[in-house]
Amino acid sequence: MKQRNYLKALSLAVCMICLTSFLFETFAQKIKWNKVKVLVYTRNGKGYVHDNIAASVAAIQALGKQNGFAVDSSSDASKFTEDNLKQYDLLIFSNTNNDVFDTDAQRVALMRYIQAGGNFLGIHSASGTERKWRWFKDMLGGTFFWHEPGQSFSVKILDPKNPSLAHLPATWNREKDEFYFVKEMAVNLNVLAVNDHTTIQKPAGKALDTFGTVFPSVWWHEYDGGRAFYTSIGHEKTDYEKEDLRKHLLGAIEWAIGPQKPRNYSKAYATSPQDEVRRK
């Protein structure tokens, strides 16, 4: 009897693994790139501005051309209106930093887009964006705390099946990048990769030990009706010319979009940036 139950349990486990694999492959094949349109937003407020922004936009435009999806780019906050945002399957905040909106109405437009089932991808310094706005920090998954001086370190891949990481080895060696630490992190993040602090050669002493010797660097979650994906990788402007980072970004775009569906603004409810998230 015990052996029979064991065999049943084993068979069930195998079936579940196969089903999960099938669903993943099915989902991965569902993206109809010719139906995808993204907005790359690059606004920076007062403070440090990365010199990689133009290169990151060029990389995403090249990915769009190669895969057949449309790419708009802008640093103009006035683009954040409900009517304008509803056309996009994904908003990509590429190396934005500090305050990137001029009005609360623009912030509310972003909230309502997400609540309508919109999707978000933050790249590198996007975690330093809107640092005083609780909703944005929760949507991204946290807010920038500090980074080690640019140098080599290793990234450990936790989910090799995710399309943003499937092309990478178990350890992704970054020749030169910035090891980010993020604070006020959301508790429901699906962490896909972590930076290994034991591989830092010149630590500067501000490391957070929340997760021991590793720290989350790539994650996604569902938030307030939409999906949000974040990667801290990509400081050097030359990174965006490299195949490993471009494939990382393409997979992130794919995963952030998720099951393709139109925005449904009947589910949007925000009227102020301070509105509480409605729990279902």
Side-chain angles (χ1 to χ4, degrees), residues 61-100:
Q61 289 172 333
L63 290 172
K65 187 174 181 180
Q66 291 165 8
N67 295 277
F69 63 89
V71 180
D72 288 344
S73 66
S74 180
S75 60
D76 182 359
S78 70
K79 300 292 184 182
F80 281 76
T81 66
E82 189 165 309
D83 284 343
N84 187 53
L85 294 185
K86 65 176 57 175
Q87 66 181 302
Y88 296 110
D89 298 280
L90 177 67
L91 306 181
I92 303 175
F93 279 43
S94 184
N95 292 285
T96 52
N97 199 13
N98 295 303
D99 295 337
V100 299

Side-chain angles (χ1 to χ4, degrees), residues 221-238:
H221 68 151
E222 294 183 348
Y223 179 78
D224 203 12
R227 290 165 70 94
F229 192 109
Y230 173 71
T231 178
S232 66
I233 305 301
H235 174 73
E236 299 294 316
K237 59 184 178 182
T238 53

Side-chain angles (χ1 to χ4, degrees), residues 15-81:
C15 287
M16 290 300 293
I17 292 171
C18 291
L19 178 60
T20 301
S21 177
F22 170 75
L23 289 175
F24 174 81
E25 291 174 1
T26 301
F27 164 72
Q29 294 170 1
K30 277 186 177 179
I31 293 288
K32 296 179 180 177
W33 289 110
N34 64 337
K35 302 293 185 181
V36 170
K37 188 175 186 180
V38 307
L39 172 65
V40 184
Y41 188 53
T42 59
R43 178 78 173 270
N44 273 248
K46 292 181 180 179
Y48 181 78
V49 179
H50 282 69
D51 67 357
N52 61 14
I53 292 174
S56 71
V57 173
I60 296 168
Q61 289 172 333
L63 290 172
K65 187 174 181 180
Q66 291 165 8
N67 295 277
F69 63 89
V71 180
D72 288 344
S73 66
S74 180
S75 60
D76 182 359
S78 70
K79 300 292 184 182
F80 281 76
T81 66

Side-chain angles (χ1 to χ4, degrees), residues 167-206:
H167 63 290
L168 296 169
T171 299
W172 188 12
N173 294 314
R174 305 296 299 147
E175 184 176 344
K176 186 178 181 183
D177 211 324
E178 289 181 341
F179 190 122
Y180 268 27
F181 292 98
V182 175
K183 62 182 181 179
E184 301 176 55
M185 296 187 73
V187 297
N188 64 333
L189 300 178
N190 301 289
V191 178
L192 305 176
V194 293
N195 293 339
D196 183 355
H197 200 257
T198 66
T199 61
I200 285 286
Q201 299 302 307
K202 298 178 181 179
K206 290 186 179 181

